[in-house]
């Protein structure tokens, strides 16, 4: 009997090593990883430059408190500001923590405007984490059930519905911010309609709200640009990051711009481990490799290719509703629950995920090459066709 707390429904496999897009289990069987640790391993497994950077930093300095200046943290904040157009960064350990920081920032911003009960507009089908504030913000009843009472201060509207947001503006004078994933991941790989993000930006400007984008999953090259909002040519006030930032090392960030960048003061927020030298070395190397190996371009190219090939293989089958996504964030929606596809794929040496019960989610490493992408498509298409015949 395991002494690990039973909080995950684990698949029957234990991995022993990884290289690029491949993982090997303890018996030596090889698996093509089309999930990348749920969008974490953007550089694939054990990228030589990342291993070297982590090893070198671990032999020099692993951790100092945020009571002192941290050189690598300063470098990382500067690089992220350069890439995003944001002004400053708060570092933490995960996406949930990054979103907690954003929620606290928005509430403090509201109190600064003499709003006693600040409210944040959030979206249905969203996922922002599993801490109390972030699971309350999430539009997924499954993650909330059993943890009531939930927090107050959130107004929920459908994703991709600007009119619903406008109606909240009319009826709720306590709104201070919108928190939205530009591309929803856990909610089923949902893509924003044309001008949706621009519309949200306009409503925020009209009402004096902060536009806060959760790019924990879709950021750091996953969409084919450094940040997913860059597809819509807008500038947010707050952006949260995590998964792909450290390529396996735990690090999250809450970036802010303009007025939002000046909300937090010393003592307002903190993270013991956040932005330590080891995690920041991993993040700086991740950004460096993405640029050197032109992985943004590769994510666009391979993503377009995989969606096109999947459509060629699967479109027209009666129970395939839609194949969608952006960059290497791909969803295949079926008309019925299909969670067993994960085990079917595992048996054939392919790692995938099913989210929202009916959506096969692919999040392969940004380093995936054409032959590997072809193998993902051919293996998965065969499994899906076989499944639909049952």
């Amino acid at each position: 009997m395991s002494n690990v707390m039973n909080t995950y429904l684990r698949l029957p496999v234990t991995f022993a090593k990884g290289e690029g897009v491949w993982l090997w289990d303890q018996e030596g069987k090889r698996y093509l990883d089309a999930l990348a640790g749920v969008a974490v391993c953007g550089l694939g497994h054990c990228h030589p430059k990342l291993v070297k950077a982590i090893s070198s930093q671990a032999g020099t300095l692993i951790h100092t408190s945020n009571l002192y200046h941290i050189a690598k943290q300063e470098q990382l904040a500067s690089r992220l500001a350069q890439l995003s157009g944001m002004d400053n960064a708060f570092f933490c350990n995960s996406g949930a923590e990054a979103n907690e920081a954003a929620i606290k920032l928005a509430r403090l911003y509201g109190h600064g405007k003499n709003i006693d009960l600040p409210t944040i507009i959030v979206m249905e089908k969203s996922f922002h984490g599993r801490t109390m504030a972030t699971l309350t913000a999430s539009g997924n009843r499954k993650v909330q059930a059993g943890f009531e009472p939930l927090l107050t201060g959130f107004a929920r509207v459908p994703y991709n519905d600007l009119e619903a947001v406008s109606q909240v503006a009319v009826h709720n004078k306590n709104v201070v911010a919108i928190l939205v994933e530009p591309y929803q991941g856990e909610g089923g790989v949902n893509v924003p309609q044309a001008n949706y993000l621009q519309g949200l930006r306009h409503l925020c400007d009209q009402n004096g709200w902060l536009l806060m984008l959760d790019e924990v999953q879709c950021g750091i090259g996953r969409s084919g640009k450094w940040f997913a909002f860059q597809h819509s040519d807008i500038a947010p006030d707050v952006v949260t990051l995590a998964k792909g930032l450290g390529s396996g090392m735990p690090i999250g960030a809450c970036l802010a711009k303009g007025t939002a960048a000046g909300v937090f003061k010393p003592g307002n927020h903190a993270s013991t481990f956040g932005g330590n030298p080891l995690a920041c070395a991993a993040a700086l190397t991740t950004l460096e490799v993405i640029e050197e190996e032109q992985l943004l371009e590769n994510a666009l190219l391979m993503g377009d290719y995989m969606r096109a090939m999947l459509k060629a293989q699967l479109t027209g089958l009666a129970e395939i509703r839609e194949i969608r996504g952006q960059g290497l964030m791909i969803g295949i929606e079926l008309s019925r629950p299909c969670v067993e596809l994960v085990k079917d794929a595992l048996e054939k040496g392919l790692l995938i995920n099913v989210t929202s019960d009916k959506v096969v989610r692919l999040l392969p490493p940004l380093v995936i090459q054409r032959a590997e992408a072809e193998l993902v498509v051919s293996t998965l298409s065969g499994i899906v066709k076989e499944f639909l015949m049952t």
Side-chain angles (χ1 to χ4, degrees):
M1 180 179 172
S2 172
N3 294 113
V4 177
M5 194 173 284
N6 187 25
T7 60
Y8 295 94
L9 191 61
R10 298 178 194 269
L11 291 162
V13 63
T14 302
F15 295 111
K17 68 172 186 175
E19 181 180 342
V21 301
W22 299 98
L23 283 165
W24 285 262
D25 68 16
Q26 291 178 316
E27 285 71 46
K29 180 180 175 180
R30 192 174 75 155
Y31 299 79
L32 206 173
D33 187 359
L35 188 58
V38 193
V40 167
C41 304
L43 303 186
H45 297 281
C46 301
H47 191 287
K49 278 204 165 183
L50 184 68
V51 172
K52 184 178 178 183
I54 293 171
S55 302
S56 173
Q57 187 61 51
T60 307
L61 183 65
I62 294 175
H63 177 80
T64 61
S65 167
N66 277 303
L67 293 173
Y68 315 106
H69 292 285
I70 298 172
K72 282 280 190 297
Q73 188 179 115
E74 298 285 349
Q75 291 172 33
L76 180 58
S78 175
R79 185 68 178 126
L80 288 172
Q82 183 185 39
L83 294 173
S84 66
M86 307 298 280
D87 291 334
N88 56 20
F90 168 80
F91 292 106
C92 48
N93 308 292
S94 67
E97 283 184 78
N99 285 329
E100 283 277 349
I103 291 166
K104 286 181 68 177
L105 188 155
R107 288 191 170 195
L108 205 53
Y109 168 76
H111 283 291
K113 296 172 69 177
N114 296 317
I115 296 174
D116 291 334
L117 300 171
T119 297
I120 300 171
I121 296 177
V122 292
M123 307 301 159
E124 293 176 2
K125 298 183 180 179
S126 62
F127 182 80
H128 300 295
R130 291 180 184 271
T131 60
M132 281 308 299
T134 57
L135 73 84
T136 302
S138 295
N140 181 341
R141 182 59 192 147
K142 277 187 181 177
V143 304
Q144 297 171 340
F147 297 106
E148 299 82 358
L150 302 178
L151 276 62
T152 59
F154 296 96
R156 198 174 313 286
V157 299
Y159 179 70
N160 267 332
D161 189 340
L162 289 173
E163 179 55 30
V165 179
S166 298
Q167 286 303 308
V168 175
V170 172
H171 298 292
N172 190 335
K173 300 305 177 189
N174 290 327
V175 173
V176 296
I178 295 173
L179 175 62
V180 60
E181 298 159 275
Y183 293 79
Q184 289 187 333
E186 194 75 18
V189 191
N190 298 313
V191 174
Q193 293 174 358
N195 300 321
Y196 177 58
L197 294 178
Q198 292 95 327
L200 293 180
R201 177 71 271 176
H202 179 66
L203 285 166
C204 285
D205 291 340
Q206 271 189 323
N207 294 284
W209 303 340
L210 300 179
L211 178 59
M212 308 198 300
L213 302 182
D214 176 345
E215 297 218 10
V216 168
Q217 185 167 140
C218 62
I220 310 297
R222 176 63 47 192
S223 74
K225 289 187 181 287
W226 284 110
F227 301 91
F229 72 80
Q230 292 168 336
H231 290 284
S232 299
D233 196 27
I234 61 161
D237 300 295
V238 176
V239 180
T240 57
L241 303 169
K243 291 180 180 293
L245 182 56
S247 217
M249 287 295 293
I251 183 168
C254 177
L255 313 183
K257 180 182 175 64
T259 302
V263 170
F264 279 150
K265 300 291 188 297
N268 287 147
H269 199 50
S271 172
T272 296
F273 298 101
N276 74 21
L278 188 62
C280 287
L284 281 164
T285 304
T286 297
L287 300 178
E288 185 180 313
V289 172
I290 288 174
E291 189 169 47
E292 283 179 355
E293 299 188 5
Q294 301 182 335
L295 297 183
L296 302 183
E297 294 83 352
N298 192 59
L300 282 175
L301 191 66
M302 289 299 105
D304 288 347
Y305 171 75
M306 290 177 71
R307 281 192 300 281
M309 291 299 292
L310 286 165
K311 286 177 181 177
Q313 290 284 329
L314 299 174
T315 299
L317 298 180
E319 294 184 83
I320 299 293
R321 281 187 174 170
E322 188 179 19
I323 296 168
R324 56 180 178 257
Q326 174 64 48
L328 285 171
M329 191 173 182
I330 300 170
I332 306 162
E333 183 172 356
L334 278 64
S335 61
R336 60 172 152 127
C338 58
V339 176
E340 55 260 59
L341 283 172
V342 175
K343 278 191 177 178
D344 295 345
L346 185 71
E347 288 173 6
K348 294 189 181 299
L350 176 65
L351 304 184
I352 62 168
N353 174 246
V354 167
T355 189
S356 296
D357 294 329
K358 299 177 182 176
V359 181
V360 177
R361 178 170 51 168
L362 301 178
L363 300 164
L366 307 184
V367 296
I368 192 169
Q369 297 300 302
R370 176 74 171 255
E372 297 152 348
E374 284 178 356
L375 188 54
V376 172
V377 171
S378 62
T379 305
L380 180 60
S381 297
I383 294 166
V384 170
K385 287 175 182 174
E386 205 170 297
F387 170 76
L388 293 179
M389 290 171 65
T390 60

